[in-house]
Amino acid sequence: MGQKTEKIYKRAKENLDKQNHEHALRLLNEVLNREPSHPQALRNKALLKVLNENDKEAEQFLLFAIEQQPDDDQLHQLLGTLYHNNGKPHKALAQFNKSIAANPDNEIAQQGAAMVYAHMLGEHEQAITHFTKALESDPKNAELLFNRGCSYMIAEKMDEAEQDLRKAADLKHEKAHEMLKKYF
């Protein structure tokens, strides 16, 4: 990576931090014209494309970015999230799994896979596995505890469900309180 390219990237990052997306995108394009596989520039441009809410354009860019950096867990996770948000569970899961294969500690990919398994595919044992892995990084995440508790209930593991729902309730998760009153 050339020094000038890194200076341009640094300016792009500063513009991103200031929410000046248009200028940041122009600078990221300049970085990618110089170095098409620059990992941070690819990730940041992909994120801007997703935020721009043009899903087709975001998908096309993410597929291009993954061609440049096929082992980048964050790019796969972003594409998985895009697919998940657009009701494409199998495509989402494929991308989350590629992200997890590249980096098993990618908490967002673990959460994404868990949500697809739980809420879209109804495979709660698989969901529990991914919720558990995500909770290793963030053990006080009330939303993850609540969702894993619900998956435990559906899998008829009521003791584990009650434990997770109590932890979620202690962390002020409103629905966890309701579930505890209703089922325990």
Side-chain angles (χ1 to χ4, degrees):
M1 291 183 224
Q3 259 187 333
K4 185 165 180 152
T5 302
E6 286 310 305
K7 284 182 182 178
I8 297 167
Y9 175 73
K10 185 178 178 195
R11 286 185 16 236
K13 187 76 173 107
E14 289 167 359
N15 277 277
L16 272 175
D17 293 342
K18 294 176 185 172
Q19 304 292 314
N20 186 350
H21 293 172
E22 190 174 317
H23 194 62
L25 186 58
R26 194 170 47 76
L27 291 166
L28 290 170
N29 283 333
E30 195 174 329
V31 169
L32 292 170
N33 284 338
R34 294 168 158 273
E35 196 175 315
S37 63
H38 190 285
Q40 294 93 346
L42 287 167
R43 282 186 211 128
N44 284 304
K45 183 174 178 180
L47 186 57
L48 285 174
K49 292 284 187 184
V50 169
L51 291 173
N52 192 30
E53 297 183 10
N54 181 334
D55 294 337
K56 190 66 180 162
E57 192 176 300
E59 178 186 22
Q60 288 172 342
F61 183 76
L62 278 161
L63 291 170
F64 165 79
I66 288 169
E67 282 179 23
Q68 303 302 307
Q69 292 289 333
D71 297 324
D72 189 304
D73 67 301
Q74 292 178 36
L75 292 172
H76 286 289
Q77 174 252 302
L78 269 171
L79 185 55
T81 301
L82 182 72
Y83 286 144
H84 179 247
N85 291 342
N86 286 289
K88 298 177 181 177
H90 296 289
K91 283 185 165 190
L93 192 55
Q95 292 303 316
F96 289 138
N97 284 334
K98 287 178 183 178
S99 177
I100 292 165
N103 177 10
D105 295 325
N106 185 321
E107 178 187 342
I108 297 170
Q110 292 285 358
Q111 285 181 38
M115 296 304 267
V116 169
Y117 278 123
H119 298 287
M120 299 175 118
L121 302 178
E123 296 180 29
H124 292 280
E125 292 293 341
Q126 286 287 352
I128 291 166
T129 299
H130 290 284
F131 282 131
T132 300
K133 184 65 179 168
L135 280 160
E136 288 175 11
S137 302
D138 192 2
K140 294 188 185 245
N141 185 317
E143 192 65 30
L144 289 176
L145 287 163
F146 174 78
N147 279 291
R148 185 175 71 175
C150 291
S151 284
Y152 275 136
M153 281 185 69
I154 293 168
E156 298 180 4
K157 296 180 178 183
M158 298 308 277
D159 290 340
E160 292 91 338
E162 183 178 7
Q163 278 184 323
D164 277 358
L165 292 172
R166 288 206 185 284
K167 288 178 188 174
D170 290 345
L171 294 167
K172 311 291 186 234
H173 193 286
E174 279 186 43
K175 290 182 182 174
H177 288 288
E178 294 171 23
M179 294 288 282
L180 286 166
K181 283 180 189 174
K182 188 172 184 176
Y183 295 103
F184 297 99

